[in-house]
Amino acid sequence: MPFSNVAERREQPPALAVSTVIFSLRDDERTGRKSLWLPLVRRTREPFRGQWALPGGPLGPRDSLLDAAANNLRDTTGLVPRYLEQLYAFGDLDRSPTRRMVSIVYWALVREDDPHGTATSVLVDDPNVAWFRADDPEVLGNLAFDHRQIIEYALWRLRNKVEYGSIAHRLLGERFTLAQVREVYEAVLDRALDPANFRRTLRSTPDIEETGEFLSGGKHRPPRLYRYTGSTTHPLESENIS
Amino acid sequence: MPFSNVAERREQPPALAVSTVIFSLRDDERTGRKSLWLPLVRRTREPFRGQWALPGGPLGPRDSLLDAAANNLRDTTGLVPRYLEQLYAFGDLDRSPTRRMVSIVYWALVREDDPHGTATSVLVDDPNVAWFRADDPEVLGNLAFDHRQIIEYALWRLRNKVEYGSIAHRLLGERFTLAQVREVYEAVLDRALDPANFRRTLRSTPDIEETGEFLSGGKHRPPRLYRYTGSTTHPLESENIS
DNA sequence: CTTAGTTCTGGTCAGAATGACACTAACTGG
DNA sequence: CCAGTTAGTGTCATTCTGACCAGAACTAAG
């Protein structure tokens, strides 16, 4: 027991940490559609030893918030997303049972099959890192700290922030088909969308243009590949990993 | 000179502070419409002594982030908004020339004529507190720290976040006329809106209902008073001041 | 008391955006 | 070459939006 009473613990200066919520699209046999998954790490120390938690760690004196989040994510899971966006700063007094902690949480959408090994290269054979469905109540109910609320807030933000073109290209990378974009929206909104109408609205935005190429290798008619061009978001809303 | 070199300063643990950006609607003779103003405080210490800065201060070990922001705002300006919303956490290494500083910034819209003296009671006769136009380049160009970027980001968020009904009621309080709501939107979007069309869209939302009362004392036809009912926003997006 | 001035409020109309859905095009696998 | 599946186009009715007209309701001036 590191501190004898609550009053003493509360006089400790607040500690600063960063965490990350990484969403990825994966097939879901249950619905037939794709759904959102996220990586968690098993805690090896008290408090909450053995329970699942968001990747994260302390903020070093020489790291910017973004660097700290990205480095920590890479070290614990092997993931290197292209962008991280700041989600929220959590600072309630009772977040951690041991000491006062302020966590600045970043989040991202990553693609499952990234050429840089972005999303799939979660440290293979490490039993302390695993992917879970983002809305699995079994998992959410047993997370460390207030990480359940953090994930639920990230999901809420995601669903309330969906704008055509701006979210999907971060998940899908350089070139993508319109059906892939639609899969992202269907997973986030958790409902089926009309392919024809979705295509119409997407094509009407100036931020998405044809590449002239087609995606071959599929089982059916090969779809066109598109590219995202646009600086829709504010710089702070989507920071590039150095 | 508190530290002999950069390397030494950077080994200091990051300090945690909170700041607030408070927007209020005020008459603007230049446009004839209302526009956004915000309170600034003059710094009495180095660094940036004598320059204007956002209200703010260190995070105490016993204050939640929200409490720290609200208390600090009250102590320095006398302002007590009903709600504060978290804007962003700023943590670049070179934000402050003296030591590593992470600032968690809250923001709010307040009404000018609040019955609790919310917005007008800025410590009278204190020459170190004053209101400025939020887009005055003269002022923005001479702020302390990175406070210019913070204000510009807050304005960007405000303009990109305007949804009917959810923003205005925080600025206007319990009961309001539709013209008052329109003034808010005109100030935020910086353009005139058609009164009749604005009324139509606003009435079509379920979150705004008639009170049956009218606002008397005006110079012309007395307008109906309306009330906001709805929990549109996520709890974290609009935290109540205790 | 009358009238001018201003705002509030409801209405119309044309054009744009949206949802439902039929239909054609293009590929793979047997 | 045919069946099956996905890609992509076109159409139609409905809803939403912006521009604008006009009457209602009040105050202030004379």
Side-chain angles (χ1 to χ4, degrees):
Chain A
M1 196 74 75
F3 300 103
S4 57
N5 59 47
V6 172
E8 182 177 347
R9 140 171 112 74
R10 286 194 169 165
E11 296 303 330
Q12 286 280 102
L16 256 173
V18 291
S19 295
T20 43
V21 182
I22 307 297
F23 290 121
S24 179
L25 224 56
R26 313 215 146 187
D27 287 314
D28 188 348
E29 314 80 31
R30 308 185 319 154
T31 63
R33 284 201 299 275
K34 304 225 174 188
S35 60
L36 294 166
W37 294 65
L38 83 171
L40 298 173
V41 298
R42 200 193 299 272
R43 284 188 59 81
T44 56
R45 301 186 226 177
E46 297 295 345
F48 299 106
R49 181 182 192 136
Q51 292 180 246
W52 294 101
L54 293 171
L59 174 68
R62 282 186 303 266
D63 285 329
S64 74
L65 299 175
L66 178 65
D67 289 344
N71 293 339
N72 217 293
L73 180 64
R74 172 171 38 76
D75 295 344
T76 53
T77 68
L79 290 169
V80 184
R82 287 188 193 73
Y83 311 96
L84 282 177
E85 178 172 335
Q86 195 177 296
L87 178 69
Y88 201 75
F90 296 84
D92 282 354
L93 292 173
D94 54 356
R95 292 186 62 239
S96 164
T98 51
R99 70 169 299 187
R100 173 69 189 282
M101 177 100 71
V102 174
S103 286
I104 292 166
V105 180
Y106 280 77
W107 67 302
L109 291 168
V110 300
R111 57 191 299 201
E112 194 180 2
D113 56 342
D114 191 283
H116 296 79
T118 294
T120 48
S121 71
V122 163
L123 304 174
V124 188
D125 298 329
D126 184 340
N128 291 323
V129 182
W131 290 85
F132 298 92
R133 283 181 45 108
D135 56 356
D136 184 337
E138 195 72 22
V139 176
L140 289 175
N142 291 295
L143 292 174
F145 303 105
D146 55 354
H147 290 187
R148 178 193 185 131
Q149 287 90 295
I150 294 176
I151 291 170
E152 287 174 342
Y153 176 62
L155 280 171
W156 180 88
R157 270 271 284 269
L158 189 58
R159 298 202 167 102
N160 282 277
K161 196 191 150 84
V162 179
E163 301 161 35
Y164 283 102
S166 75
I167 279 191
H169 90 281
R170 294 196 289 215
L171 178 54
L172 297 170
E174 179 63 30
R175 298 175 308 165
F176 45 81
T177 71
L178 296 190
Q180 288 173 336
V181 181
R182 182 163 48 82
E183 282 182 330
V184 177
Y185 281 81
E186 290 183 339
V188 170
L189 299 175
D190 198 29
R191 63 188 175 90
L193 300 174
D194 183 289
N197 294 335
F198 187 84
R199 161 180 306 274
R200 183 179 50 194
T201 47
L202 215 56
R203 293 310 315 276
S204 73
T205 75
D207 293 340
I208 287 186
E209 63 179 24
E210 291 185 11
T211 64
E213 300 167 298
F214 292 81
L215 177 65
S216 60
K219 294 182 180 175
H220 308 291
R221 174 176 174 176
R224 290 176 186 277
L225 285 168
Y226 294 84
R227 169 193 304 125
Y228 180 78
T229 64
S231 56
T232 322
T233 58
H234 190 280
L236 290 180
E237 300 278 324
S238 169
E239 301 188 64
N240 263 10
I241 307 277
S242 57
Chain B
M1 197 76 73
F3 300 102
S4 57
N5 59 47
V6 172
E8 184 177 344
R9 143 172 111 72
R10 285 194 169 163
E11 295 306 329
Q12 286 280 102
L16 255 173
V18 291
S19 296
T20 44
V21 182
I22 307 297
F23 290 121
S24 178
L25 226 55
R26 312 215 147 187
D27 287 315
D28 188 348
E29 315 81 30
R30 307 186 320 155
T31 64
R33 286 200 299 275
K34 306 224 175 191
S35 60
L36 293 167
W37 295 64
L38 82 170
L40 298 173
V41 298
R42 200 194 298 273
R43 284 188 60 81
T44 57
R45 298 187 228 177
E46 296 294 344
F48 299 105
R49 180 183 192 136
Q51 292 181 244
W52 295 100
L54 292 171
L59 174 68
R62 283 186 303 266
D63 286 328
S64 75
L65 298 176
L66 178 66
D67 290 344
N71 294 339
N72 217 292
L73 181 65
R74 171 172 39 72
D75 295 344
T76 53
T77 67
L79 291 168
V80 185
R82 289 188 190 72
Y83 311 96
L84 283 177
E85 178 173 336
Q86 196 178 296
L87 178 70
Y88 202 76
F90 295 84
D92 282 354
L93 293 173
D94 54 357
R95 290 187 62 241
S96 164
T98 50
R99 72 170 298 187
R100 174 69 190 281
M101 176 102 68
V102 174
S103 286
I104 293 166
V105 179
Y106 280 77
W107 66 302
L109 291 168
V110 301
R111 57 191 299 200
E112 195 180 359
D113 57 342
D114 192 283
H116 296 79
T118 294
T120 48
S121 71
V122 163
L123 304 175
V124 188
D125 298 329
D126 184 339
N128 292 323
V129 183
W131 290 86
F132 297 92
R133 284 180 45 106
D135 55 358
D136 184 338
E138 195 71 21
V139 176
L140 289 176
N142 291 294
L143 292 174
F145 303 105
D146 55 355
H147 290 188
R148 176 191 186 132
Q149 288 90 298
I150 294 177
I151 291 170
E152 287 175 342
Y153 177 62
L155 280 170
W156 181 87
R157 271 271 284 266
L158 188 59
R159 297 205 167 100
N160 282 277
K161 195 190 150 85
V162 179
E163 301 160 34
Y164 282 102
S166 74
I167 278 192
H169 91 280
R170 293 197 291 218
L171 179 53
L172 297 169
E174 178 64 29
R175 299 175 307 165
F176 46 80
T177 71
L178 296 190
Q180 289 173 335
V181 182
R182 183 164 47 82
E183 283 183 329
V184 178
Y185 281 81
E186 290 183 338
V188 170
L189 300 175
D190 197 29
R191 63 187 176 92
L193 300 174
D194 182 286
N197 292 338
F198 187 84
R199 162 179 307 274
R200 181 181 54 195
T201 47
L202 214 56
R203 293 309 316 278
S204 73
T205 74
D207 293 340
I208 286 187
E209 64 179 23
E210 291 184 10
T211 64
E213 300 166 299
F214 292 80
L215 178 64
S216 59
K219 294 184 180 176
H220 308 290
R221 176 175 175 176
R224 288 175 188 279
L225 285 168
Y226 295 84
R227 170 191 305 123
Y228 181 78
T229 64
S231 54
T232 322
T233 58
H234 190 280
L236 289 181
E237 299 277 326
S238 168
E239 301 188 64
N240 264 8
I241 307 277
S242 59

